[in-house]
Structures are given as structure tokens and as C-alpha cells.
């Protein structure tokens, strides 16, 4: 079974621009979560989508948004980029959060975003 | 206070040593406990998953959970240079996942 895939793997943008990152979950997984990882803050939860609906949201500004499509693929958008948005953005998928035995998250390789 | 605390290290050990990695937490609602391994420039990889107090063993890895003390550990026996990575603990209540900041481990040949 193919793992979680994320595109692009690397991205360089300038301040003020916007960016869209894509995540394809493991086949059959319906939940997709997004995380921001930085050396200083570690892994921080952005949001989770399940069946095209946002189920959970972390403490990030509204510049960070996401969506999920009917095939469970998810996109994350960051508008008006700031220098502090430079980070590794990780996507994680799980089958179903409501079933404890199947809700373990599996991570993709991440998209490394650099904002200049 | 963070909900999950993890010593960032780095932890440097000789090959063959027993490694002990630890996390403490404050939220008694946490029900599920995980350990992830993350190599440089890669996404975290799930190593162990448990939902009860006690020990769970998988090869050279043993995960230990003490809910009464709100303390979890990962033991690595006969450590290898290929174990050099950052290890993240993770916990889950009924709603969300919470991650430790990660401990960087270096196993010297």
C-alpha cells in the first residue's frame, strides 16, 4: 500500500505571496491532519479534515486554511506569507479517528517551505 | 506549561547501549500513546502504539506507559547507528493528537 504523499517536497516563496500544498492520504484513510514543524516549536497541529469537513483546528491565524476533496486528498493554503512561516509542513492520515484501533496517524515526507 | 514534555537532548550513546527516552504529560484524558522516529529531512515514522499502562515490546523496542505517574518511556536495546534520529512521543485524547518536541539520539559506532 502506498504511503502518504505530499507535493511539492520543497518550495521557496517570498513574503506576501501565497502557497498551496497538497497531500494524498493512504488509500482508504479518511482523516487528514496538517502540522507545522519548526526547530523551536516542534510539531504544531494546524487542522484536521474528515469527509471533506474540518473537524479540528489548532491555534493558527486565518491565513492558514485547508480543504479536503471527496477522494480524501487535502490541500493546505497559506496566504500573505511571513518569514516565520518557514517550516516543514507535514500531512498525516488515519483511517477513522472514532475507532481507537484504527486512528493511528501515518505521516508523509513533508513539504519544506522557505519564505525569503 | 506544555501538555507533553520531552527532553530535547541531544543524547549520545555508544553502539550496543540501552537507550531510554521519556515523556511526561499533564492531561489525564490522554488514552493512547505513540512513539515516532524521524530521520533528518523525513516525516515521522510510527514505531510503537499502545493504549494501556504496562509494557509493549517489538523487537529491540519496548514502550512503557505509567498512567498513574503520567510518564511514558521508550527503551531501545542493542542500539545501532541506524537508530540515530529524533524520537517523538505522541499522545491522544478522544479528540486530538499532542506531540512532544522530540529527543535527538546519536548512536556512535
Amino acid at each position: 500500500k502506498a504511503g502518504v504523499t505530499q507535493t511539492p517536497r520543497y518550495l521557496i516563496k517570498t513574503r506576501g505571496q501565497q502557497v498551496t500544498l497538497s497531500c494524498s492520504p493512504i488509500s482508504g484513510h479518511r482523516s487528514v491532519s496538517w502540522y507545522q514543524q519548526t526547530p523551536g516549536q516542534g510539531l504544531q497541529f494546524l487542522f484536521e479534515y474528515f469527509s471533506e469537513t474540518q473537524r479540528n483546528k489548532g491555534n493558527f491565524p486565518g491565513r492558514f486554511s485547508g480543504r479536503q476533496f471527496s477522494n480524501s486528498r487535502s490541500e493546505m493554503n497559506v496566504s500573505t506569507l511571513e518569514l516565520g512561516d518557514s517550516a516543514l509542513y507535514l500531512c498525516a492520515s488515519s483511517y477513522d479517528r472514532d475507532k481507537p484501533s484504527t486512528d493511528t496517524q501515518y505521516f508523509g515526507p513533508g513539504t519544506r517551505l522557505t519564505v525569503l | 506549561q506544555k501538555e507533553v514534555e520531552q527532553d530535547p537532548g541531544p543524547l549520545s550513546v555508544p553502539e550496543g547501549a540501552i537507550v531510554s527516552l521519556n515523556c511526561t504529560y499533564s492531561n489525564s484524558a490522554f488514552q493512547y500513546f505513540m512513539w515516532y522516529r524521524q530521520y533528518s529531512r523525513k516525516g515521522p515514522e510510527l514505531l510503537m502504539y499502545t493504549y494501556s499502562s504496562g509494557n509493549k515490546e517489538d523487537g529491540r523496542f519496548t514502550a512503557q506507559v505509567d498512567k498513574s505517574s503520567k510518564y511514558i518511556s521508550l527503551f531501545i536495546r542493542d542500539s545501532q547507528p541506524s537508530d540515530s534520529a529524533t524520537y517523538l512521543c505522541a499522545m491522544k485524547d478522544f479528540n486530538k493528537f499532542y506531540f512532544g518536541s522530540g529527543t535527538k539520539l546519536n548512536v556512535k559506532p
Side-chain angles (χ1 to χ4, degrees), chain A residues 37 97 100 103-105 108, chain B residues 32 36 38 46 49 92 94:
Chain A
Q37 188 177 37
R97 172 164 66 76
D103 69 352
T104 307
Q105 291 191 327
Chain B
Y32 308 103
Y36 287 83
Q38 186 174 20
L46 180 67
Y49 174 86
K92 183 181 176 299
F94 70 94

Side-chain angles (χ1 to χ4, degrees), chain A residues 9-10 35 37 43 45 56-57 88 90 97 100 103-109 112, chain B residues 2 32 34 36 38 41-44 46 49 88 92 94-97 99-101:
Chain A
R9 292 292 312 279
Y10 302 92
Y35 294 86
Q37 188 177 37
L43 262 177
F45 172 73
N56 268 308
K57 190 177 187 305
L88 180 67
L90 291 160
R97 172 164 66 76
D103 69 352
T104 307
Q105 291 191 327
Y106 296 87
F107 284 86
R112 186 163 296 280
Chain B
K2 285 186 177 180
Y32 308 103
M34 291 137 282
Y36 287 83
Q38 186 174 20
R41 300 193 171 277
K42 297 282 180 73
L46 180 67
Y49 174 86
L88 298 147
K92 183 181 176 299
F94 70 94
N95 208 22
K96 288 198 299 189
F97 288 84
F99 287 83
S101 54

Side-chain angles (χ1 to χ4, degrees), chain A residues 54-108:
Chain A
Q54 188 180 86
R55 276 208 296 206
N56 268 308
K57 190 177 187 305
N59 298 322
F60 278 80
R63 300 185 296 107
F64 292 82
S65 63
R67 59 177 176 167
Q68 186 180 34
F69 301 96
S70 58
N71 61 358
S72 293
R73 190 177 71 85
S74 177
E75 286 183 347
M76 188 191 100
N77 184 274
V78 188
S79 62
T80 319
L81 284 166
E82 300 177 359
L83 294 178
D85 296 334
S86 294
L88 180 67
Y89 289 88
L90 291 160
C91 165
S93 78
S94 61
Y95 176 71
D96 185 345
R97 172 164 66 76
D98 295 328
K99 295 180 182 177
S101 63
T102 59
D103 69 352
T104 307
Q105 291 191 327
Y106 296 87
F107 284 86

